[in-house]
Structure formats: C-alpha cells, structure tokens
Amino acid sequence: MPPIFDPWRACVVAAEVSMATNAAAGSLAAMRSQRLAELLAAAAAHSPRYRRLLAGCDPATARLEELPVARKAELMGDFAGWVCDPALSLPALRRFLAEPANIAADCLGPYTAWESSGSTGEPAIFVQDARAMAVYDALEALRRPLLRPFERLLDPWSLGERIAFVGATGGHFASTVSVERLRRLQPGLASRLRGISFLQPLDRLCDELDAFDPTVLATYPSAAIVLAQEREAGRLKVAPREIWTGGETLSAAGRAFLKEAFACPVANSYGASEFLSLAFECSLGVLHLNSDWAILEPVDAQGRAVPAGHAGTTTLLTNLANHLQPVIRYDLGDRVRLLDAPCGCGSHLPVIEVHGRDDDTLCLAGGVGMPAVRVVPLAVSTVLEEEAGLFDFQLVQQGPRELLLKTRGQGQKMQRTLRKARAALAAFLETQGAKGVRIECRAGESTQCGRSGKFRRVISLNAKPDDAC
C-alpha cells in the first residue's frame, strides 16, 4: 500500500509555498499569524494537554511568547494528552516503529510516523498527517536551491539523476522515512534513488557507492567529510555533480573541503524530526527559514528571547503545519541566530545561522600496517541507541585505541546497559577495521560541552570535526 498522499492538498500547498517564496515581509507575517491562530484553535479543540493550557485564551489574539515551553520528556510522558487523535496509542506506535519493514508505511490510519535520533536523550515519536506531509513535500521541491539550473531546464523531472542517500537506512528516522516514502510514491524513481547505510565498513560503503555511481550525494556533513577523504585517497571513485548535506552543522571549512574533493557544488539545509524542512540555502549560500510554516525563537537559559543577531542557549520551535501533534514552543536544543539584515538574493524569508551540536568524527588506529579508521558520529550514535538502548551518553576519545563511554545515568540497570553498549560498540568498530580498541565505561559522570556550548556526544582526540585524520 503506498504512503499517504493527497494530490489535491499537495497542489494547493505547493501553490501557497510557491507564492510565499517571493512574498513581502508583511505578507509572510500575515500568513504566519493566521496559521498560528489555526494551530492554537486546533490544539485547544483536540489535544487534552493544550485544551488545559489554552483555556480562556483566544487563539486569534494569543501571544506565542506567553505560552509555556514544551520539552520532549514532558510531552512523551503525556503522549495521549499531547496528540489530537486518541487512536494514536504510544505502545502501538512503538510496536510499529520496531519493525524496519514498516518504514514509510501508513501508520495507525492515514499517517506517517518517524522517531528522532535521540541526540538529546531517548527518542521522541512524531506523527504527520497528509497536510503536514504536503507542506514538507512542497518546501523540499520548491525551495531546495538549483545547483545546476541549466541541466534542470533540460531535465525538469530529474530523469537522468541517480540520487544516493547515505545514512542510517534501517531505522525510522525522518530522512530515511522520507527517502523510502518517495521511492514508494514514485516506483519509476525507485531504481534511481537509493538509501545506503553508513553503518557498514567504509570499504564496503565506498564499493556500493561506486557501483551505484550517483549524480547526487545526500548525507550528513560528517559522513560527507569522510567520503571526501576517501575520494582524495583514491579509495572512492564516484564523481557526483552535486552534494546535499543536512542534519548537522556544516562549517565553512567543511564545505570548502567537500567542494574541492568532489569538484561539485554543495548545498546545506536545516531540518529536524519536529519539522522536516526548516531552512534551505539560497543561490548565495545563505540559509533562509521557512517562516511561513515554522517559527523559531532563540532564547536564553531562562527562556527569555534574545536580541536579533544573537544565538540563544536553545531555540523554541512552533510547527504551523502539524495539527495532529501540536509542536508549540518546543525546545529543539539547537542554537540558532536570526539575522535582521536582508539577504542579497532578494528573499524576505528570514536569514538564519545554525550552531547545532558539533560532534566529531573518530579517527582510530587500524591494524598493523593498515590505515587509520574513521567513524562518523551518527554511526556511533545509531549503534549505541539501536543495539544497546543507550541514549544519554558521551563518547570521548582518549588515545588512538582508547575511548571513554560515560553517562549521567546510575544504578544496576544502567551498568547492564553500559556493558551491552560496550560490547555493541566494540563489535561495530571491529567490523570497521579498528581492532583492539579499549572502551572504558563510567556511570554517573558529568559530560562536557563543545565549543558552541552545546552538549556533544562524540568527541575525537583532536576535537576538530573538519580535520582529516
């Protein structure tokens, strides 16, 4: 059965997104206000949690900044009170997401479900209806930058492209679900759009990419950096015509390295499990927030708004598209800076800079006479989360073959989880070619923050994510 897709709604939303792309600032503000009022009205009417929180408020005049901040643990602890459809049972959703065969399938009715990566603790589950998916589809299709406009003119449907997504292909993550959903909706695209796991040994990953020979490579910045290093070393032969990155911060140095190694343009985007397509780059390489459908509020540690041009301690997200599972002033954990200055591209969509978590790529000693082994942080996170159920952790490299795995959790259960995590991580690293790695585990340990002030889960020996090994 194909995933949910409403053709009429998709056309209507696509037209709205298209018109808003070049709209004036006043028009964007009016759209945002109207959609916020609609979201609050729907939440008050159908979500028990927000019926209580919004009691006595007029959705048309309510001030967003006066509403309470929502945090993942609290929302997941009151899942039945959070969602607007009582049929969305958390145990049933967890059973659904436990099956890889269900990736991109309809979930508990006409819905699409995915889970967060658990980068700030245990994963959250997010469910989207046809309206929300239509918004994400339109933003992806109409606001992604054209890196090769002449070729798009000759091939508007991308019939000559082969697109490879390199990520955690076996999990119900937003990016993986999106790729598989597109394959199911467009069977003719299935042979030209492939998900490739970054959890396999690097040599096999390179072989699979070389065999597919993608014209477009989509992945996370940390994984793209590793692949660029493999290409420079001659172990990866692919020559994509463009690279799409997202999900992590892409530094200027990282972008320059990718462009030089692959000799092709690079475009970065910003999204989250809570809102799939938050921002895309314009033709000048500047990130623009899709402010007609999403609201971001950078705030300090006390939840107070910070001035424009300053990055807060964290950022609050309000998703104006999803009325099924209201995301209102949700603490994303990312540090975002909203800029006042207009962009030279002429767009009135706000310019943003994202200073997210800055995890490192590990560089571990290989076997005797073997090259160093590089392991991307999302691969480490996926192994520890999926195979050991360890979500609150920090992995610190202390030597060429020494790692410290620590968690703030305590107790016998956590000790068992740590033992399981150590075994899973050691086995995974051995498949990558890093043999004899000693992993020390500690429970009840405090964690250190990175240069951005955000909690970092994977810290390399040199603590410079863009450096080659």
Side-chain angles (χ1 to χ4, degrees), residues 24 34 67 69 127 140 167 195 216 228 260 325 384 418:
Q34 179 182 340
L67 299 181
V69 173
V127 189
E140 288 278 344
V216 176
E260 180 179 356
Q325 187 178 10
L384 293 176
L418 275 177

Side-chain angles (χ1 to χ4, degrees), residues 83-90 92-93 108 111:
V83 296
C84 292
D85 184 348
L88 288 174
S89 156
L90 185 56
L93 281 167
L108 304 184
Y111 302 137

Side-chain angles (χ1 to χ4, degrees), residues 16-80:
E16 292 174 346
V17 167
S18 181
M19 288 187 293
T21 298
N22 298 307
S27 296
L28 289 170
M31 292 179 203
R32 193 161 52 246
S33 295
Q34 179 182 340
R35 288 170 181 159
L36 175 60
E38 292 170 354
L39 169 66
L40 296 180
H46 303 293
S47 164
R49 170 186 173 84
Y50 282 102
R51 183 179 302 120
R52 181 180 71 254
L53 291 176
L54 296 171
C57 290
D58 180 355
T61 59
R63 291 171 57 85
L64 185 61
E65 60 270 25
E66 294 176 354
L67 299 181
V69 173
R71 293 181 173 85
K72 179 175 66 175
E74 179 185 2
L75 293 174
M76 289 301 296
D78 182 29
F79 193 84

Side-chain angles (χ1 to χ4, degrees), residues 2 9 135 163 168 173 239 267 302 306 330 352-353 370 394 430:
R9 189 182 296 275
V135 172
I163 304 173
F173 304 119
Q302 287 71 45
V306 300
Y330 179 98
I352 67 171
E353 291 179 357
M370 300 297 291
Q394 190 167 64
E430 188 164 348

Side-chain angles (χ1 to χ4, degrees), residues 72 114-126 168 172-175 198 220 247-248 272-274 357 359 378 380-386 390-393 457:
K72 179 175 66 175
W114 54 63
E115 60 181 344
S116 68
S117 64
S119 60
T120 55
E122 188 171 355
I125 294 173
F126 296 96
H172 288 257
F173 304 119
S175 53
F198 62 23
Y220 306 96
E248 298 171 340
S273 301
E274 296 82 0
R357 191 180 65 253
D359 286 346
L378 279 173
V380 171
S381 299
T382 301
V383 168
L384 293 176
E385 291 173 8
E386 296 294 309
L390 182 63
F391 303 107
D392 181 14
F393 71 89
R457 296 212 297 179

Side-chain angles (χ1 to χ4, degrees), residues 300-362:
D300 63 17
Q302 287 71 45
R304 298 171 301 202
V306 300
H310 294 264
T313 302
T314 188
T315 303
L316 309 180
L317 164 69
T318 298
N319 181 334
L320 301 176
N322 189 349
H323 289 192
L324 178 66
Q325 187 178 10
V327 174
I328 302 170
R329 306 201 81 208
Y330 179 98
D331 188 348
L332 271 180
D334 288 342
R335 298 179 66 238
V336 174
R337 195 157 71 104
L338 293 176
L339 304 181
D340 269 344
C343 181
C345 73
S347 172
H348 292 284
L349 293 168
V351 173
I352 67 171
E353 291 179 357
V354 181
H355 307 277
R357 191 180 65 253
D358 203 14
D359 286 346
D360 296 343
T361 293
L362 295 176

Side-chain angles (χ1 to χ4, degrees), residues 218-256:
T219 188
Y220 306 96
S222 59
I225 293 290
V226 170
L227 293 173
Q229 292 168 354
E230 291 300 292
R231 191 173 191 276
E232 284 201 330
R235 294 185 289 268
L236 179 66
K237 308 299 182 185
V238 295
R241 299 171 194 164
E242 56 188 74
I243 294 175
W244 303 342
T245 63
E248 298 171 340
T249 300
L250 176 63
S251 68
R255 182 193 296 270

